Amino acid sequence: MSNPVPHWNWHVLDSAAALDPVPPVITEEAAQDWCNFVVWQPSELPDGCHTSTGTIRREAPPGRVEAEGRSPWSDANPAGYRTEISGGGRRLRLKQFLYDWAFPAADHPCLWGSEARAHEIGGGRVVWLGTDYLSHRAASARMARTTVELSVLEGEFTDDELVALYAALRPAVPEAVARVLATPFSELSYWARRPAETVSVPTGAYSFHRRGPGHEGDWVAPGELTAFLTGQGLPVSIGGHRADSAATFGDGTAVRELDVVYTSPSGGELRLTAQRTGGGRLEFPPQRDKHPATEELLDLGGRPLYLAYRDAAAGACDAWWQHPDGYDLRLLGSSGTDLGRDAFVALVTELDTRLRLRGRAGTLG
């Protein structure tokens, strides 16, 4: 029997007051020790670009301080790595982090509202090209769970150049990849580990925003996950994705929703949300959120299945349906060449069949 891959451990600051006033310059290799995600580095730069400078925002406990680069919309201080690439009158920046305060909307949240287009970059991954919230030409990809966002700051770059840049990204510390992927989301996530303010953000093609003060997610200990899911009547795996973490979300008095994170060996993700019918914040029939997507109404064993996705070949897919025993379900998928529309519908069908065979779930019953 092979030894299990050890979980990833990284450095953190003791307090928000210890944050660097200005994020320091640091190489990708050295930054990896400070990051709860895989750090990627360019192996090739666009023509004429010769400068690549990276800076680190170190993780610290929640707290508002005067520090450049900290999150302006909450008291959270998660880790992040920023790279500026420039030359020949052109400049762009890459920003890397673990998007862990919600499911990344359409798998490319920085392009929200944009007519994003998917391009393959190898290994089943895709990069999305579009326009970001600052109206900059932009791109986004999730690679081994890391969200890698790009924004053009000066000059023009072609689609081919941006796609080639993403395709040429390589892990700064190759041995860190397996360890990060072996670490449960609940152990990596800043918001799962710390009492940071929750943030109301879109999560997919259909509207669902978690609102409310305080840290409301109650995450299951990794060693108790299998027993917890069994007690809920939920599967430990779906297709090639295995349950990684789970949490219940409430209003201080009762459980409202249950979330399960399923991950693939390469870092692909499914996020299942379930609730007693009418007992949580999933509203049926679902309403479309403000992001371009194709919408379909399908039949799932005589029940309606609401499905929306940005790209039929690459996803990112969002499905809502109701279980005959009286609870509501939503499944979100990350994007990739193996999680397009047809593959995702097959996963939903598999999941629904297994849930109906298992019967009523514990917290949901």
Side-chain angles (χ1 to χ4, degrees):
M1 179 181 295
S2 60
N3 293 325
V5 177
H7 290 183
W8 180 246
N9 295 301
W10 63 99
H11 304 315
V12 300
L13 298 173
D14 293 333
S15 68
L19 283 167
D20 303 290
V22 177
V25 174
I26 188 174
T27 65
E28 287 92 347
E29 292 87 349
Q32 182 64 79
D33 285 338
W34 287 92
C35 293
N36 58 333
F37 53 88
V38 174
V39 177
W40 297 83
Q41 62 183 355
S43 63
E44 299 178 17
L45 299 180
D47 287 346
C49 293
H50 50 76
T51 300
S52 176
T53 303
T55 57
I56 185 76
R57 183 182 66 214
R58 309 177 203 270
E59 179 181 322
R64 293 187 176 274
V65 296
E66 292 297 325
E68 183 181 320
R70 70 165 306 279
S71 302
W73 34 261
S74 81
D75 63 349
N77 296 301
Y81 189 75
R82 186 181 190 276
T83 308
E84 280 210 8
I85 297 171
S86 61
R90 302 191 298 170
R91 184 166 60 99
L92 59 79
R93 68 109 174 102
L94 292 174
K95 185 166 63 173
Q96 303 184 49
F97 57 97
L98 180 67
Y99 193 110
D100 55 346
W101 53 95
F103 189 88
D107 216 37
H108 46 270
C110 69
L111 307 179
W112 186 249
S114 167
E115 291 282 353
R117 309 173 308 281
H119 297 263
E120 293 186 35
I121 54 174
R125 301 186 301 258
V126 297
V127 60
W128 297 88
L129 304 185
T131 304
D132 66 17
Y133 65 98
L134 294 174
S135 298
H136 292 164
R137 181 164 164 70
S140 181
R142 271 212 286 173
M143 305 172 64
R145 284 180 165 172
T146 303
T147 294
V148 184
E149 296 179 347
L150 178 152
S151 185
V152 175
L153 305 179
E154 185 179 355
E156 299 291 335
F157 292 85
T158 67
D159 286 2
D160 287 346
E161 286 183 304
L162 299 184
V163 172
L165 177 60
Y166 272 88
L169 291 175
R170 299 290 182 266
V173 181
E175 55 269 29
V177 178
R179 293 184 60 186
V180 172
L181 291 177
T183 306
F185 176 84
S186 59
E187 292 185 4
L188 293 173
S189 169
Y190 185 94
W191 273 259
R193 292 181 286 108
R194 298 187 183 274
E197 296 176 5
T198 55
V199 183
S200 178
V201 292
T203 54
Y206 291 113
S207 181
F208 176 71
H209 297 237
R210 280 203 170 100
R211 297 180 175 86
H215 183 65
E216 59 175 354
D218 184 12
W219 290 86
V220 177
E224 301 172 3
L225 179 61
T226 298
F228 175 81
L229 293 177
T230 300
Q232 299 298 323
L234 296 173
V236 175
S237 62
I238 306 172
H241 296 72
R242 186 169 181 82
D244 171 287
S245 303
T248 55
F249 291 82
D251 59 6
T253 59
V255 172
R256 301 184 68 173
E257 299 108 26
L258 166 64
D259 273 14
V260 186
V261 179
Y262 294 89
T263 58
S264 73
S266 63
E269 183 178 339
L270 301 172
R271 186 75 63 94
L272 175 67
T273 299
Q275 67 179 32
R276 293 184 300 275
T277 295
R281 285 161 286 199
L282 298 177
E283 296 183 2
F284 278 81
Q287 301 299 309
R288 285 275 289 108
D289 215 324
K290 299 175 182 179
H291 189 67
T294 298
E295 187 176 12
E296 298 183 31
L297 181 59
L298 305 177
D299 179 82
L300 187 66
R303 291 160 289 134
L305 171 65
Y306 297 88
L307 174 70
Y309 49 88
R310 183 68 197 97
D311 184 278
C317 298
D318 188 352
W320 297 51
W321 73 104
Q322 294 182 301
H323 190 282
D325 284 349
Y327 55 95
D328 308 326
L329 298 151
R330 182 199 195 185
L331 188 69
L332 285 159
S334 57
S335 56
T337 58
D338 60 344
L339 270 179
R341 183 257 186 214
D342 293 348
F344 186 79
V345 170
L347 289 171
V348 171
T349 302
E350 174 193 337
L351 174 60
D352 181 70
T353 299
R354 294 173 66 181
L355 289 175
R356 286 189 289 108
L357 291 174
R358 288 169 181 259
R360 186 183 296 269
T363 298
L364 306 174

